[in-house]
């Protein structure tokens, strides 16, 4: 157990006793989150089931120490059948692939100090509730935490400082997913492999975040900035108040040199963040992001959030999805410019498949990656016509999959990311899974295919879907038995 750190504990006590939020005392409890939602989507807030609500204050010092100090209060509603005796929060920055050092400095539940201990290689904290939590009741969990942010060389850097960027995904303790598949106690504490795939499995929550940052940095965030004020910490510091409607995770990326440009698409304000030397490509990225948003809104259903950001990041030539925010690797703005459009088309589709409809990305990575990957077919078809989309199909999915089969690398798609080799992860989880969605579309026809995607979106909006849930939605809407198709593409592999 980590020792209490005195300055952080003092911050914890001061903040938890004074909580002067700019939105305090409002009679409409969803009022704080409405600015993050498009007007037409605000009704979704009333229909949400119990969802964790995060109030976070974080002080970010990007100077030599690269130190974050934070406090959060999370309202956790217990929806199970029995009394709850403990809770788990994940400390994702402690994953080896994130390389951070996150510690908990104090925990209180409903105002009472609660004992805690670290588990799952320090990527989880186990909190013993001072009193059992009955079903359908809510606990206010307060945690103070600190995070030492790693400094990284050039490369694929999701968390830490690299090339002048400070990337902070899941910089706060996040409630672990209760997941009945893992037995009793049903908490998902999986640790994703370091070799490939997404690492965070998180339930959607509502967010109010105040980040105290040096006044000269520009911050891109998963959410809508509602105000920026001078910080009580003195000259040179700014408080940024950000809110997030239902979203799976919250991330911040800072750079003092970011420039921005914005446009509107699908009722959202789309903003491109780029470095001054990448301005031309940054403006092109903005247009690609807006175009993708328009195509997917029309095909899959409305984009619910007020803001969408596309942001350059130290990710080489890769991208990464967050709710309302897409990171695109710096190399794609420069020597890999030809990859920009496809990468943006892919990452933008994650706003539907990962962000709005969630799934376990560690145990069923194909479900969002395959559907996202295949969604780019709809983008290329809408923008450039069917021959261009078919060329994409051949180049990105059919030919690579055929090659994998010839090399004896075919595998069952419905497996956790740890089951794949480095040599076939992408071909199976992206290409072969995309070919399943393609076969499904050809089987049921375009009209039914897009209708079933909209049904899938409606059923699992801000929830978590499994492969069986997707198949059930597809069979319900199409009125067909799709088990043979599913068996062929997702559950079997060619003999090597
Ligand atoms: Zn993806």
């Amino acid at each position: 157990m980590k020792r209490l750190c005195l300055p952080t504990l003092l911050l914890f006590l001061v903040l938890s006793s004074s909580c002067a939020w700019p939105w305090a005392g409002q009679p409409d409890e969803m009022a704080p989150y409405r600015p993050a939602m498009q007007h037409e989507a605000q009704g979704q807030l009333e229909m949400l089931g119990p969802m964790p609500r995060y109030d976070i204050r974080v002080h970010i010092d990007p100077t030599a120490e690269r130190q974050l100090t934070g406090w959060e209060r999370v309202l956790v509603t217990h929806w199970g059948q029995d009394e709850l005796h403990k809770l788990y929060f994940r400390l994702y920055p402690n994953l080896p692939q994130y390389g951070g050092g996150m510690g908990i400095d104090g925990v209180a539940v409903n105002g009472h100090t609660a004992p805690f201990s670290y588990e799952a290689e320090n990527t989880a904290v186990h909190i013993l509730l001072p009193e059992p939590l009955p079903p359908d009741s809510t606990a206010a969990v307060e945690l103070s935490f600190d995070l030492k942010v790693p400094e990284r060389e050039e490369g694929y850097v999701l968390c830490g400082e690299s090339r002048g960027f400070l990337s902070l995904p899941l910089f706060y303790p996040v409630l672990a997913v209760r997941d009945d598949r893992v037995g009793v106690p049903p908490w998902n504490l999986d640790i994703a492999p370091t070799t490939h795939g997404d690492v965070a499995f998180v339930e959607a929550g509502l967010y109010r975040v105040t980040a105290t940052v040096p006044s000269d940095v520009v911050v891109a965030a998963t959410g809508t900035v509602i105000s920026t004020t001078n910080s009580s910490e003195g000259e040179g510091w700014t408080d940024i108040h950000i809110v997030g409607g239902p979203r799976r995770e919250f991330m911040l990326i800072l750079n003092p040199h970011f420039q921005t440009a914005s446009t509107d698409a699908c009722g959202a304000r789309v903003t491109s963040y780029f470095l001054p030397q990448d301005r031309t490509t940054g403006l092109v990225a903005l247009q690609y992001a807006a175009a993708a948003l328009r195509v997917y809104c029309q095909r899959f259903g409305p984009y619910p959030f007020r803001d969408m950001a596309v942001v350059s990041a130290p990710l080489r030539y890769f991208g990464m999805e967050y709710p309302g925010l897409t990171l695109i690797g710096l190399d794609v703005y420069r020597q890999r410019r030809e990859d920009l459009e496809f990468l943006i088309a892919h990452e933008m589709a994650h706003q539907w498949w990962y962000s709005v409809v969630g799934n376990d990305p560690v145990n069923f990575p194909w479900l969002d990656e395959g559907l996202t990957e295949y969604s780019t077919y709809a983008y290329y078809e809408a923008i450039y016509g069917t021959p261009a989309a078919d060329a994409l199909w051949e180049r990105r999915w059919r030919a690579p999959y055929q090659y994998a089969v010839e090399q004896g690398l075919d595998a069952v798609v419905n497996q956790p990311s740890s089951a794949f080799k480095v040599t076939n992860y992408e071909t199976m989880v992206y290409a072969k899974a995309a070919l399943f969605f393609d076969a499904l579309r050809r089987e049921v026809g375009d009209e039914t295919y897009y209708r079933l995607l909209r049904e899938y979106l409606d059923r699992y909006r801000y929830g978590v879907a499994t492969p069986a849930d997707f198949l059930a939605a597809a069979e319900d809407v199409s009125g067909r038995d799709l088990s043979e198709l599913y068996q062929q593409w997702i559950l079997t592999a060619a003999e090597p």
Side-chain angles (χ1 to χ4, degrees):
M1 187 178 293
K2 194 173 161 39
R3 285 265 201 80
L4 283 180
C5 146
L6 190 59
T8 313
L9 182 63
L10 287 174
L11 178 74
F12 171 54
L13 293 172
V14 168
L15 289 174
S16 59
S17 59
S18 65
C19 291
W21 301 99
W23 39 72
Q26 299 182 48
D28 170 8
E29 62 173 333
M30 288 296 151
Y33 314 106
R34 293 190 192 285
M37 306 293 287
Q38 292 200 34
H39 185 72
E40 293 72 20
Q42 289 186 11
Q44 293 169 4
L45 291 170
E46 270 75 41
M47 294 187 282
L48 298 174
M51 183 172 277
R53 294 190 201 177
Y54 295 84
D55 288 337
I56 301 173
R57 287 198 166 197
V58 62
H59 175 97
I60 302 170
D61 185 356
T63 57
E65 292 301 312
R66 300 184 312 282
Q67 189 73 35
L68 263 72
T69 314
W71 169 88
E72 68 179 4
R73 178 175 51 207
V74 188
L75 297 180
V76 180
T77 299
H78 171 39
W79 43 263
Q81 304 289 320
D82 306 316
E83 284 186 335
L84 200 60
H85 296 267
K86 61 183 178 182
L87 290 170
Y88 282 95
F89 279 71
R90 299 304 305 268
L91 311 178
Y92 279 111
N94 288 344
L95 284 172
Q97 51 269 64
Y98 277 8
M102 183 179 236
I104 301 296
D105 300 314
V107 179
V109 179
N110 293 335
H112 302 287
T113 303
F116 63 93
S117 56
Y118 296 99
E119 289 188 20
E121 298 171 29
N122 294 332
T123 67
V125 60
H126 167 186
I127 299 169
L128 220 48
L129 299 178
E131 291 180 359
L133 193 62
D136 298 322
S137 60
T138 298
V141 184
E142 293 172 80
L143 300 102
S144 58
F145 58 93
D146 58 78
L147 170 59
K148 175 82 173 159
V149 181
E151 186 177 22
R152 294 288 186 82
E153 298 293 314
E154 288 193 11
Y156 180 73
V157 179
L158 279 175
C159 177
E161 187 187 353
S162 178
R163 302 176 77 172
F165 296 84
L166 187 63
S167 302
L168 301 170
L170 288 163
F171 58 85
Y172 53 95
V174 69
L175 185 67
V177 175
R178 293 195 67 197
D179 179 355
D180 291 315
R181 284 179 307 105
V182 296
V184 179
W187 293 93
N188 185 308
L189 304 181
D190 288 349
I191 297 176
T194 53
T195 41
H196 42 239
D198 297 332
V199 298
F201 180 27
V202 184
E203 271 183 83
L206 298 169
Y207 284 88
R208 301 188 288 193
V209 177
T210 294
T212 302
V213 298
S215 303
D216 63 348
V217 302
V218 181
V219 178
T222 48
T224 291
V225 174
I226 54 166
S227 65
T228 300
T229 54
N230 292 330
S231 174
S232 59
E233 295 197 25
E235 202 174 325
W237 292 91
T238 297
D239 287 344
I240 303 179
H241 305 284
I242 311 160
V243 295
R247 57 197 60 219
R248 241 150 260 289
E249 52 187 307
F250 203 92
M251 102 81 79
L252 300 167
I253 177 165
L254 288 66
N255 193 312
H257 304 296
F258 270 148
Q259 293 184 353
T260 64
S262 297
T263 190
D264 291 330
C266 288
R269 175 176 48 207
V270 185
T271 303
S272 178
Y273 293 74
F274 45 82
L275 297 180
Q277 60 268 46
D278 302 322
R279 183 172 185 83
T280 305
T281 310
L283 296 177
V284 174
L286 177 66
Q287 296 311 319
Y288 287 155
L293 209 60
R294 290 186 192 107
V295 170
Y296 299 147
C297 277
Q298 197 259 327
R299 284 298 198 186
F300 309 145
Y303 175 76
F305 303 139
R306 177 75 186 90
D307 278 289
M308 178 70 222
V310 54
V311 187
S312 72
L315 295 181
R316 300 177 62 207
Y317 48 86
F318 299 101
M320 186 65 192
E321 70 278 10
Y322 296 94
L325 188 148
T326 280
L327 298 185
I328 301 293
L330 263 187
D331 293 359
V332 185
Y333 289 74
R334 298 171 185 178
Q335 63 267 40
R336 295 283 291 255
R337 171 69 182 71
E338 68 277 12
D339 295 339
L340 184 68
E341 185 167 20
F342 177 82
L343 199 56
I344 288 179
H346 174 102
E347 301 301 344
M348 293 298 289
H350 271 305
Q351 293 305 315
W352 282 261
W353 323 124
Y354 143 78
S355 171
V356 177
V357 178
N359 59 271
D360 179 342
V362 178
N363 288 296
F364 308 115
W366 72 271
L367 187 54
D368 66 314
E369 288 302 348
L371 183 50
T372 292
E373 182 76 4
Y374 188 60
S375 295
T376 61
Y377 185 96
Y379 173 86
Y380 279 84
E381 188 177 42
I383 303 291
Y384 299 109
T386 304
D390 285 340
L392 182 80
W393 173 85
E394 171 65 24
R395 185 174 74 248
R396 278 202 66 89
W397 310 315
R398 199 209 64 82
Y401 175 60
Q402 183 62 36
Y403 181 75
V405 170
E406 288 163 9
Q407 298 300 307
L409 291 169
D410 195 16
V412 169
V413 168
N414 194 36
Q415 299 192 82
S417 50
S418 58
F420 297 96
K421 305 180 184 104
V422 174
T423 46
N424 72 352
Y425 176 78
E426 258 196 66
T427 329
M428 296 301 119
V429 169
Y430 291 68
K432 188 179 178 186
L435 291 172
F436 161 70
F437 292 103
D438 180 66
L440 174 63
R441 182 180 68 85
R442 291 173 198 274
E443 173 80 18
V444 303
D446 275 25
E447 192 274 329
T448 304
Y449 177 75
Y450 290 111
R451 196 152 47 83
L452 78 82
L453 289 187
R454 286 192 290 272
E455 172 67 19
Y456 178 58
L457 186 78
D458 279 345
R459 282 190 195 180
Y460 300 103
R461 179 173 282 113
Y462 310 127
V464 173
T466 64
D469 293 331
F470 178 83
L471 186 62
E475 291 190 334
D476 288 349
V477 172
S478 67
R480 295 194 197 197
D481 177 356
L482 299 167
S483 54
E484 204 173 306
L485 192 81
Y486 188 73
Q487 181 78 26
Q488 178 193 344
W489 287 103
I490 302 300
L491 300 182
T492 52
E495 291 293 325

